[in-house]
Amino acid sequence: MASTRVRLMKGALGAMQTLGVHALLRPLSEGLGMILTLHRVRPASMLENELGAFPKFNPNGLLEVTPDFLDAALGLLKAQGLAVLSLDEAVEAIKNPAVRKGRFAVFTFDDGYIDNREHALPVLQAHNAPAMIYVPSSYPQGTGELWWVALEEMIRSAETLVRPDQPEQGPQSVRTDDEKLAFYLDLYWTLRAMSQDDQRAAVRQMAHAQGYDLDALCRRLVLSTAELQDFSNHPLITIGAHTVTHRAIARLSPEEAMREMVEGTDWLEEALGSRPKHFSFPYGDRGSADARDYALAREAGFETAVTTRKGMLFADHKDHLFCLPRVSLNGDYQQERYLRLFESGAPFLLANKFKKVA
């Protein structure tokens, strides 16, 4: 059940490929390389089993890819001449582009899902590819609120639901794939527009009404403290900070934002024995992180901070290490032809109106 936006984007990318626009723009658009964003990695059979009677209702499918696609992506990027680097190595390449010859890719995973260890790590090992895992400190402790996943699961299992922001409307039907998706998308974006406290309160209210256990969801999907400690010891894995509670930094006061950054990092240092140097802004879009927040990340003592603003890396990013762009390995685009376009950088240069640093 692809959204209208996804269908339009795929049409535009298809036209770009047919016309060869990416090849023409490549000298301007490819840059030094790119940082890739991933979340979940698991086989298609696991997803199909989870979707069950509602196979077309998968609003968070964009946040996961299969191990086979991850393997194909690594193979394609290396065939295109990109070296897979750690983020530390990439920062050095940005600061000294003349020293390193050839382009590079960095693989980053947000949130610390169990499937990163179970299904992504074997692929990374096969390619000897390092990866950064950004973890909110409440998640390994089993108290993180993965509210967007909870929302999907509550809608999937229900026939009618009362929206926490519209109780006066009473129960609304969510019996079909179409009804479920419409309900999810409207409520999701309503929640994203709320204050962070009101957002979480609304989700907790809905979960309580449904008898849904938010903590159990976190424990089911995310690496525990002990599992994270073991994972962090793998030579290919580096752990980065991702706040305490996965709140949009831009929606918080400066004091709250700094507390989320620093306390999350403090906990990871205590749990893992070393202090994370790199930070990922939750959500990472323009409404979730902006100039004030980049300055706060620098003040908090990080060496870099990544966003989800789409773009390639250029030499000028040496002066913008706290708002680094990333390219999503998106579940809606699990085909090599799309990755070839993304790797060229052309779609992002066009979207950013030819600004290399947006």
Side-chain angles (χ1 to χ4, degrees), residues 3-256:
S3 69
T4 300
R5 183 177 180 276
V6 171
R7 288 195 297 270
L8 291 173
M9 181 62 71
K10 286 183 175 180
L13 291 171
M16 178 179 290
Q17 186 175 46
T18 299
L19 296 172
V21 174
H22 62 300
L24 293 173
L25 289 179
R26 181 180 284 279
L28 294 174
S29 62
E30 67 177 7
L32 303 174
M34 58 183 174
I35 303 173
L36 292 153
T37 311
L38 298 97
H39 290 81
R40 303 191 65 185
V41 179
R42 56 178 176 161
S45 58
M46 291 181 65
L47 175 61
E48 290 164 3
N49 182 61
E50 180 180 289
L51 298 182
F54 301 99
K56 296 181 180 179
F57 176 60
N58 184 26
N60 289 307
L62 75 165
L63 297 178
E64 63 180 273
V65 299
T66 66
D68 287 344
F69 181 68
L70 177 60
D71 179 63
L74 279 157
L76 185 150
L77 293 174
K78 292 197 291 187
Q80 291 289 99
L82 281 78
V84 181
L85 304 183
S86 69
L87 187 53
D88 285 321
E89 292 170 326
V91 170
E92 288 303 310
I94 294 169
K95 290 179 178 178
N96 303 288
V99 174
R100 176 171 189 85
K101 299 188 183 300
R103 299 170 66 227
F104 59 83
V106 178
F107 281 73
T108 67
F109 297 76
D110 285 5
D111 301 339
Y113 293 98
I114 291 171
D115 55 52
N116 291 177
R117 181 194 63 185
E118 299 301 310
H119 300 295
L121 183 58
V123 179
L124 295 170
Q125 287 177 310
H127 290 270
N128 195 33
M132 173 71 68
I133 314 292
Y134 293 108
V135 181
S137 63
S138 64
Y139 284 19
Q141 299 177 74
T143 60
E145 295 175 320
L146 290 85
W147 64 267
W148 57 96
V149 182
L151 187 62
E152 177 181 342
E153 291 194 354
M154 285 188 279
I155 294 170
R156 177 173 292 111
S157 64
E159 292 191 352
T160 63
L161 284 171
V162 176
R163 283 181 53 152
D165 61 320
Q166 298 176 355
E168 71 283 354
Q169 292 195 14
Q172 300 181 36
S173 176
V174 287
R175 290 182 173 85
T176 68
D177 281 318
D178 288 335
E179 287 178 333
K180 290 179 186 296
L181 185 61
F183 189 98
Y184 178 93
L185 291 176
D186 192 58
L187 181 53
Y188 173 87
W189 288 110
T190 298
L191 292 168
R192 283 290 302 269
M194 289 181 178
S195 75
Q196 298 295 277
D197 288 342
D198 289 347
Q199 174 197 91
R200 301 305 172 92
V203 174
R204 290 188 208 110
Q205 178 186 335
M206 188 173 175
H208 178 74
Q210 295 299 114
Y212 185 91
D213 191 334
L214 289 166
D215 287 352
L217 172 68
C218 182
R219 293 191 297 270
R220 171 159 52 93
L221 296 187
V222 177
L223 293 161
S224 68
T225 300
E227 290 169 332
L228 182 64
Q229 288 169 335
D230 181 65
F231 195 35
S232 70
N233 288 327
H234 194 284
L236 292 175
I237 300 300
T238 303
I239 305 300
H242 200 32
T243 72
V244 176
T245 60
H246 201 282
R247 293 175 188 248
I249 291 296
R251 308 296 297 275
L252 303 174
S253 70
E255 295 76 20
E256 290 173 313

Side-chain angles (χ1 to χ4, degrees), residues 248-258 261 281 288-299:
I249 291 296
R251 308 296 297 275
L252 303 174
S253 70
E255 295 76 20
E256 290 173 313
M258 185 61 78
M261 292 186 195
F281 288 103
S288 303
D290 217 325
R292 182 208 71 170
D293 312 306
Y294 309 149
L296 289 175
R298 181 193 295 270
E299 185 181 339

